[in-house]
Amino acid sequence: MGKPDEKPARNEHDEEGFEPVRRSIPAWLVSMVFHMTLFLVLALWTLPVGKGISRVVLEIGEATESDSVDLQEYSLESAESQFDELEAEAVEEVPMEMEVETLIESMDIAEPSDVVPADLGASALEAMAKPMFGGRSGAMKSLLLGQYGGNSDTVEAVELGLKWLAKQQQKNGSWSMRGPYDDGSFQENQTAATAMALLAFQGDGNTHFDGPYSKNVERGLKFLLNKQRRRDGFFAANEPHHQRAYAHAQATIVLCELYAMTRDSKLRVPAEAAIEYSIKAQGNEGGWRYDPRSDSDLSVTGWYVMALTSAQAAGIPVDHSTLAIVDGYLDTVSVEDGAGYCYQRGRPPSPSMTAEGLLCRQYLGWPRERQAMAIGLSTLVQDWPIRRDAMNVYYWYYATQALHHYGGSAWRIWNDNMKVELPRMQVKRGREAGSWSPQADEHGNASGRLYTTCFSIYCLEVYYRHLPLYKMAETK
């Protein structure tokens, strides 16, 4: 994670100099003043930014499952030993990172994933109450960028990508899979397109109340709410059949995130209705697919796991049994004791499904030390890194999240490559500046430019989009 193992040495003379103060002033007051001062400094501190800132989006899991992951030739020991050697040679790459780390250590905070101590005021308490989305803005966003390996290039790429997305919004507040940009999808799905664009804006801290793109979010949100069916909470009734389940799950995530980020009471009822539909649509196998209560595939299921866990983070109840059944379904599409995953039972494992399956396992409660997780993720890092000649933003989206949560040198190796390659692939000039071309992507010819752009932005927002699930103490 770009975090040195050693803590800065304390100066004994400094300790002695503070002793009279400690005797005369209550400890809680010293702590409060120190922390308030620190976060006022961080609030004024921003990272440098740059100058500027086709067809089944949703059938990607099934489209091609050609390359399988051979997990048997990797062992936990060999993978970890390679990462451990690289961890010992880690070098800080973001100028602010060492300073932020020093500040954190001086505060005696054991794990940055604990976010902030409880004595920092109402805003800190609010962030702790919604930890999944608590790092998307302000000083905490800047801190997380440095802590987890972001830099000015990733910030600028996100900014350019969001500018491009804002230009594509239509008069009714929606986005389109087809255009008006180049290389769009041949099949329309405005629900999915609008949800994907909104998730990119929200991942960077924008809501319908706050942020430079608040008006875009507000208009997009109104479009989605008008698409939701009142009788059962379903969003995608008029979309292509095989894309409806994906589109509904993505729109549900949008509502749950916005409700968690803003506590806007007007969103509670539609979010609950969307979740209720999702739970009722769960298939007999434990996952989801194209039709409610039918068969299952891992590609669709992953989106519903994120919808349900986003609901939980927003304080919307989800029965434990619903997620327990999903865990059982994942067992049926896994190989090597859960180190690899398949699109459906009996199919070969693939990088995309392995990344998606492991991310689901993380949200469903697997501990970081689970051996299958280490084997699966180390295989992805070693054999399936981000490469321009093997573009697959769907796979990158899931692998980036799973590795960010996992942390350690596995994440650093992945991120050191990602934060260079993804900004390089972004279009920098012309009408499509800020987007990512779909032409070289494994599913881009079917899904289009909006799809490749949104998923690339998600990857570059990963440092603060969702706070890590595992404590830093476990990743050293």
Side-chain angles (χ1 to χ4, degrees):
M1 292 206 182
K3 174 179 183 298
D5 291 339
E6 299 81 8
K7 295 185 178 181
R10 294 178 182 268
N11 189 311
E12 295 181 359
H13 297 291
D14 291 344
E15 293 287 332
E16 294 173 0
F18 276 108
E19 191 60 32
V21 178
R22 289 176 180 162
R23 291 172 181 167
S24 60
I25 301 177
W28 63 267
L29 181 59
V30 175
S31 175
M32 181 182 70
V33 171
F34 179 82
H35 290 113
M36 289 179 66
T37 303
L38 169 66
F39 273 80
L40 283 173
V41 172
L42 288 175
L44 299 173
W45 190 1
T46 58
L47 281 174
V49 297
K51 297 179 181 179
I53 272 268
S54 259
R55 309 171 207 174
V56 180
V57 50
L58 311 172
E59 290 180 31
I60 13 197
E62 186 183 29
T64 54
E65 293 295 321
S66 53
D67 297 323
S68 62
V69 183
D70 185 359
L71 295 160
Q72 293 182 336
E73 61 183 280
Y74 297 95
S75 67
L76 176 65
E77 292 76 20
S78 62
E80 287 299 315
S81 63
Q82 177 182 348
F83 291 149
D84 289 343
E85 291 175 5
L86 289 166
E87 184 77 21
E89 301 171 0
V91 178
E92 297 300 329
E93 300 188 12
V94 184
M96 68 172 285
E97 187 170 347
M98 176 62 75
E99 298 176 30
V100 171
E101 186 63 31
T102 303
L103 289 170
I104 291 173
E105 295 295 353
S106 71
M107 293 163 60
D108 289 330
I109 300 176
E111 300 88 22
S113 60
D114 287 342
V115 189
V116 288
D119 61 353
L120 292 179
S123 60
L125 292 174
E126 183 180 7
M128 294 175 68
K130 51 185 182 186
M132 192 173 184
F133 315 114
R136 294 183 173 187
S137 61
M140 187 56 61
K141 178 181 176 182
S142 295
L143 186 149
L144 293 172
L145 270 165
Q147 181 68 29
Y148 296 115
N151 59 24
S152 59
D153 291 337
T154 66
V155 171
E156 181 178 355
V158 169
E159 182 179 334
L160 289 173
L162 295 181
K163 282 186 176 180
W164 181 86
L165 279 178
K167 292 177 182 177
Q168 314 311 318
Q169 191 171 23
Q170 303 189 89
K171 292 181 179 179
N172 65 354
S174 71
W175 277 264
S176 167
M177 297 301 300
R178 288 181 173 172
Y181 45 84
D182 294 335
D183 300 315
S185 168
F186 74 83
Q187 197 167 22
E188 186 60 277
N189 189 327
Q190 288 186 314
T191 304
T194 303
M196 289 193 299
L198 289 176
L199 289 174
F201 288 117
Q202 291 167 207
D204 204 52
N206 297 278
T207 72
H208 55 302
F209 292 150
D210 298 302
Y213 296 101
S214 59
K215 294 299 182 183
N216 301 89
V217 175
E218 181 183 11
R219 293 169 58 211
L221 174 61
K222 288 180 178 178
F223 175 83
L224 284 185
L225 290 174
N226 287 331
K227 292 279 288 184
Q228 188 177 35
R229 203 160 58 188
R230 296 297 176 262
R231 63 183 173 85
D232 61 1
F234 187 53
F235 281 103
N238 298 322
E239 306 299 357
H241 175 257
H242 283 185
Q243 302 179 13
R244 291 175 189 168
Y246 287 97
H248 174 79
Q250 291 169 329
T252 301
I253 298 170
V254 168
L255 257 66
C256 291
E257 284 193 4
L258 283 176
Y259 178 62
M261 293 168 73
T262 66
R263 293 298 165 188
D264 183 356
S265 59
K266 295 178 182 178
L267 299 181
R268 175 84 187 203
V269 171
E272 287 179 333
I275 287 296
E276 184 177 357
Y277 174 90
S278 302
I279 294 172
K280 290 180 178 178
Q282 188 173 24
N284 294 330
E285 295 177 279
W288 287 261
R289 207 171 186 223
Y290 306 139
D291 296 308
R293 297 177 296 278
S294 62
D295 57 346
S296 304
D297 73 59
L298 180 52
S299 181
V300 177
T301 297
W303 289 102
Y304 280 85
V305 170
M306 289 305 301
L308 296 175
T309 54
S310 296
Q312 289 181 317
I316 297 172
V318 176
D319 193 274
H320 175 73
S321 63
T322 301
L323 295 175
I325 297 171
V326 179
D327 213 32
Y329 168 68
L330 292 175
D331 290 339
T332 70
V333 292
S334 66
V335 297
E336 298 296 321
D337 297 321
Y341 292 84
C342 320
Y343 173 69
Q344 285 185 306
R345 187 185 322 194
R347 297 203 186 190
S350 73
S352 296
M353 294 300 101
T354 295
E356 188 166 356
L358 288 172
L359 181 65
C360 289
R361 294 289 203 184
Q362 291 175 339
Y363 275 107
L364 294 174
W366 267 21
R368 186 181 183 274
E369 60 270 17
R370 184 89 173 221
Q371 185 179 29
M373 189 189 304
I375 294 173
L377 291 178
S378 65
T379 299
L380 297 180
V381 171
Q382 293 179 45
D383 282 10
W384 305 96
I386 291 178
R387 299 199 334 257
R388 183 187 293 264
D389 61 350
M391 187 176 182
N392 186 341
V393 295
Y394 187 81
Y395 160 58
W396 297 349
Y397 163 71
Y398 278 109
T400 297
Q401 291 181 89
L403 284 160
H404 178 240
H405 288 312
Y406 186 74
S409 37
W411 160 245
R412 199 189 68 255
I413 293 169
W414 178 270
N415 182 56
D416 283 351
N417 181 51
M418 181 193 73
K419 67 185 179 184
V420 173
E421 291 301 319
L422 263 183
R424 280 180 181 173
M425 295 179 197
Q426 189 177 32
V427 178
K428 296 298 194 299
R429 293 184 296 275
R431 190 178 77 169
E432 308 302 350
S435 67
W436 278 261
S437 172
Q439 295 178 355
D441 187 81
E442 183 167 339
H443 309 290
N445 288 334
S447 301
R449 188 177 293 270
L450 184 86
Y451 154 81
T452 49
T453 298
C454 287
F455 278 69
S456 297
I457 291 172
Y458 303 155
C459 290
L460 294 171
E461 292 173 339
V462 72
Y463 313 104
Y464 48 81
R465 187 167 178 255
H466 294 143
L467 295 184
L469 291 170
Y470 303 112
K471 293 182 178 181
M472 284 296 296
E474 297 173 320
T475 66
K476 292 180 180 179

